[in-house]
Amino acid sequence: MNAKELIQKHLIRQVNLSNDEIADILPPRFDYENACMSVEGREFHVDLDIANDKYFWWEAISIEVFLKPDLKAADLNNESHHVSSTARQAWEDCAQANNIIPERLEVMEVWLVSDWLYNKLDCQDESVVTWKGLPLWGRTGTGFLVEREDAIEVIARL
């Protein structure tokens, strides 16, 4: 299914709420991943520890491409960083450990979506909530087609 078909089938309608209502049900979230990827010339990465099925972050200290066995050597202090259950948690740990303030992502639009799309958006770490029994998606982008949203394009490719 392409992004346009996904939208036609699973995006029901935009919900008109005031900014205060939006802030109450879908508070701003933080974009940890983009905050940590590259800050002041320091490059951070999150990888999956396959043996433990956990995520960890590390800081590259060279422009070389590191192979999996070299990840520990890539770490600035030659220490393993906190192992987290999710990539998001690993990014949050990275931001906190390096005093990085992530960008606030304000919800700009609220959409009523199908339960299927709600679950897929939740897996993409999008702002979703069930409010008064309704599955809602808080879109942080605006001014361009919904089918061009990164999360929608990723879901359509799955």
Side-chain angles (χ1 to χ4, degrees):
M1 153 176 20
N2 66 35
K4 190 170 187 169
E5 293 168 335
L6 185 150
I7 293 303
Q8 290 172 343
K9 187 173 181 179
H10 295 284
L11 194 72
I12 299 169
R13 70 177 176 88
Q14 190 170 0
V15 179
N16 294 317
L17 298 171
S18 71
N19 288 340
D20 289 339
E21 290 172 316
I22 291 173
D24 284 343
I25 63 171
L26 288 157
R29 62 188 181 91
F30 297 97
D31 187 359
Y32 287 97
E33 183 172 346
N34 287 332
C36 287
M37 287 299 282
S38 181
V39 178
E40 297 176 5
R42 297 168 68 192
E43 187 176 340
F44 298 92
H45 301 271
V46 167
D47 277 307
L48 178 64
D49 176 355
I50 296 171
N52 296 314
D53 197 29
K54 302 280 184 178
Y55 290 90
F56 65 99
W57 64 270
W58 55 277
E59 180 179 1
I61 56 172
S62 170
I63 59 171
E64 296 174 29
V65 176
F66 295 100
L67 301 174
K68 284 279 184 194
D70 298 324
L71 286 179
K72 187 169 181 167
D75 176 57
L76 182 63
N77 301 314
N78 263 348
E79 297 172 0
S80 295
H81 287 292
H82 181 73
V83 177
S84 306
S85 58
T86 65
R88 179 175 175 81
Q89 185 61 51
W91 281 123
E92 289 174 10
D93 294 340
C94 176
Q96 185 176 17
N98 291 281
N99 298 317
I100 297 167
I101 300 172
E103 177 185 358
R104 280 173 61 108
L105 296 175
E106 302 280 341
V107 171
M108 306 298 286
E109 300 174 0
V110 178
W111 289 84
L112 177 62
V113 297
S114 69
D115 289 332
W116 179 87
L117 184 55
Y118 175 95
N119 291 327
K120 297 295 184 181
L121 289 165
D122 192 29
C123 289
Q124 293 297 316
D125 199 30
E126 288 290 305
S127 293
V128 292
V129 67
T130 301
W131 180 69
K132 296 186 178 183
L134 301 172
L136 300 179
W137 168 42
R139 184 178 178 209
T140 57
T142 191
F144 57 95
L145 295 173
V146 176
E147 61 212 44
R148 297 283 186 216
E149 282 284 350
D150 290 342
I152 297 297
E153 290 180 337
V154 167
I155 293 167
R157 286 193 301 264
L158 298 176

